[in-house]
Amino acid sequence: MEINFTLNGKRVSISTEPTRRLLDILRDDLGLTGTKEGCGEGECGSCAVLLDGRLVNSCMVPAFAMEDKEVLTIEGFREHQRFKAISKGFEKAGSVQCGFCTPGFVMAAEALLRQNPHPTEREISEAIEGNLCRCTGYNMIVEGILTASREGDGLW
Ligand code: FES
Ligand code: FES
């Protein structure tokens, strides 16, 4: 089937199987490999992207649900000022350890800060509940998001 959607601000049209995963479309068909595959079952958040501004696991989104939707991946988000604020916050707090889970955490941070520019630690912890870090780095990730919210004040 043919699917038309907006990807990182540009209209795209692809022909694919209706049940093909958005994750595979991004990585294999469109070469956007910043979105990572971890569990492939909706449990780890490493494949997280924003779909119409909402955080979703792209391994759980079928192509047929994509018509006319708006997708933001880490590649598109990199162009925003807000990405710089989040990456600076992560850098200051030492949030990035493996790099593999990081794009998902960055997208989760953006989804949260869009809704709530000044979250509490608890709200941040809840917002990243769906993102798995295998190296027990959660405190530093929470701190990184807090720093981004403080120092990027006015961007969200
Ligand atoms: S790869 Fe999608 S949630 Fe883990
Ligand atoms: S920093 Fe990536 S799994 Fe912990």
Side-chain angles (χ1 to χ4, degrees):
M1 74 185 283
E2 170 143 331
I3 321 255
N4 304 289
F5 61 102
T6 303
L7 175 62
N8 297 331
K10 293 199 185 93
R11 202 72 188 145
V12 294
S13 198
I14 54 158
S15 184
T16 190
E17 291 298 311
T19 55
R20 190 162 167 76
R21 306 179 307 170
L22 173 58
L23 175 62
D24 300 322
I25 294 171
L26 293 173
R27 289 182 56 86
D28 302 340
D29 302 356
L30 301 171
L32 296 179
T33 54
T35 303
K36 307 295 184 200
E37 173 155 17
C39 65
E41 296 176 346
E43 302 286 340
C44 75
S46 58
C47 65
V49 298
L50 297 197
L51 186 66
D52 286 350
R54 253 181 354 105
L55 190 70
V56 297
N57 290 324
S58 60
C59 69
M60 301 302 286
V61 179
F64 67 77
M66 292 302 303
E67 185 66 24
D68 281 335
K69 298 280 196 245
E70 201 161 313
V71 180
L72 182 68
T73 70
I74 191 73
E75 288 88 351
F77 185 47
R78 258 194 210 121
E79 307 301 319
H80 290 251
Q81 276 298 105
R82 299 194 303 272
F83 172 82
K84 293 194 181 77
I86 293 175
S87 78
K88 220 190 241 171
F90 275 34
E91 201 183 303
K92 279 196 175 169
S95 318
V96 178
Q97 292 166 77
C98 76
F100 190 81
C101 65
T102 305
F105 276 106
V106 169
M107 298 314 290
E110 162 66 359
L112 168 67
L113 294 172
R114 272 183 184 209
Q115 301 285 324
N116 178 2
H118 301 292
T120 61
E121 278 188 34
R122 192 196 170 99
E123 287 168 334
I124 295 175
S125 297
E126 283 169 8
I128 59 171
E129 252 169 12
N131 293 72
L132 207 67
C133 169
R134 293 168 186 80
C135 37
T136 66
Y138 293 105
N139 289 345
M140 287 176 275
I141 294 166
V142 170
E143 183 55 37
I145 298 173
L146 267 182
T147 307
S149 116
R150 258 194 321 263
E151 298 188 6
D153 200 18
L155 290 174
W156 283 277

